[in-house]
């Protein structure tokens, strides 16, 4: 990645309508290392599609989407996997595999996309789990955990591997109130080391406590992506 270059950049991006159902409106978006962009979007399906777009998982009808200076559409599978290993994501729909314990779900991305030693991945997951209120890693399958515990586990999974980009769909209504501060502290620590944040918010109340630290505010509608004034 070139110094002082955008971490994530979309130029006149139009997602495939056949693949996403999104209106053919061009998106322009630029995120620098350490930025926090809040994108208001009340439609959870549209927010998930935008999160996929950031992660290079959507075919484009036009435009370019680059992450760490690399155009998603030009990369081979090995490069795609390596780059996606640098992204931490919280999906609102969960994305859990109920055939596996929650601890394996949490560690799977790092074990698949990176070359980290198993013991080190376990140690990092355990430490993050404690930050988010677990006594250790939950080993029950995800379908046996409460909504609140799944939200905690989603936070642990997203922050694994010291990601360069965090793509956060809104789970503020699921996360226990006592976990909001640890979440924001962990988020701020990630930004301090250069991680960029795309926070897809369903309601203003979900990020209002962090308002002063947000430097990009946009709104995602059927008609496209629109800048808002950060107050």
């Amino acid at each position: 990645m070139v110094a002082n270059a955008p971490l994530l950049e979309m130029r006149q991006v139009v997602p495939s309508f056949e693949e996403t159902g999104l209106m053919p409106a061009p998106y322009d978006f630029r995120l620098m290392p350490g930025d926090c962009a809040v994108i208001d979007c009340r439609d959870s399906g549209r927010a998930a599609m935008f999160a996929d777009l950031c992660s290079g998982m959507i075919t484009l009808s036009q435009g370019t989407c680059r992450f760490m200076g690399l155009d998603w559409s030009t990369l081979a599978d090995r490069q795609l996997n390596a780059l996606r290993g640098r992204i931490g994501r919280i999906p609102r729909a969960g994305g859990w595999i109920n055939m596996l314990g929650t601890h394996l779900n949490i560690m799977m991305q790092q074990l698949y996309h990176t070359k980290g030693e198993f013991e080190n991945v376990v140690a990092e997951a355990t430490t993050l789990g404690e930050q988010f209120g677990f006594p250790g890693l939950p080993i029950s399958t995800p379908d046996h955990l409460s909504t609140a515990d799944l939200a905690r586990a989603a936070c642990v999974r997203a922050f694994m591997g010291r990601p360069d980009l965090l793509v956060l769909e809104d789970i503020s209504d699921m996360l226990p109130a006592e976990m909001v501060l640890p979440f924001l502290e962990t988020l701020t620590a990630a930004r301090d080391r250069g991680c960029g944040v795309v926070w897809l918010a369903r309601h203003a109340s979900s990020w209002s406590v962090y308002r002063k630290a947000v430097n990009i505010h946009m709104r995602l509608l059927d008609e496209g992506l629109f800048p808002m004034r950060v107050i």
Side-chain angles (χ1 to χ4, degrees), residues 113-156:
H113 286 304
T114 72
K115 296 180 179 179
E117 295 292 335
F118 181 77
E119 294 79 8
N120 294 337
V121 175
V122 171
E124 182 186 15
T126 302
T127 299
L128 280 168
E130 291 170 352
Q131 287 179 221
F132 284 98
F134 288 121
L137 287 180
I139 60 174
S140 300
T141 55
D143 56 347
H144 283 83
L145 294 186
S146 67
T147 299
D149 280 346
L150 281 176
R152 297 174 198 257
C155 292
V156 176

Side-chain angles (χ1 to χ4, degrees), residues 69-115:
L70 300 173
D71 184 339
W72 283 117
S73 66
T74 65
L75 304 180
D77 286 347
R78 186 173 181 179
Q79 293 171 303
L80 289 170
N81 287 334
L83 274 189
R84 287 177 185 144
R86 305 308 314 145
I87 299 174
R89 180 168 172 181
I90 295 180
R92 181 167 176 82
W96 303 105
I97 300 173
N98 288 320
M99 294 173 57
L100 302 174
T102 305
H103 62 306
L104 293 175
N105 273 269
I106 286 171
M107 297 187 293
M108 186 180 299
Q109 183 198 36
Q110 290 301 302
L111 295 174
Y112 180 78
H113 286 304
T114 72
K115 296 180 179 179

Side-chain angles (χ1 to χ4, degrees), residues 45-46 57 62 84 99 121 123 125 129 139 149 164 177 189 200 218 229:
R46 189 185 300 131
M57 298 170 65
Q62 73 172 53
R84 287 177 185 144
M99 294 173 57
V121 175
I139 60 174
D149 280 346
D164 292 298
L200 294 147
M218 307 191 82
R229 187 174 69 173

Side-chain angles (χ1 to χ4, degrees), residues 46-72:
R46 189 185 300 131
M49 288 292 184
F50 190 82
D52 285 346
L53 186 62
C54 293
S55 306
M57 298 170 65
I58 297 291
T59 303
L60 305 183
S61 298
Q62 73 172 53
T64 58
C65 182
R66 297 177 181 273
F67 174 50
M68 301 185 76
L70 300 173
D71 184 339
W72 283 117

Side-chain angles (χ1 to χ4, degrees), residues 7-22:
L7 178 68
L8 177 67
E9 186 174 32
M10 299 179 192
R11 291 186 178 180
Q12 291 292 291
V13 163
V14 176
S16 165
F17 177 79
E18 292 77 11
E19 189 174 325
T20 66
L22 296 176

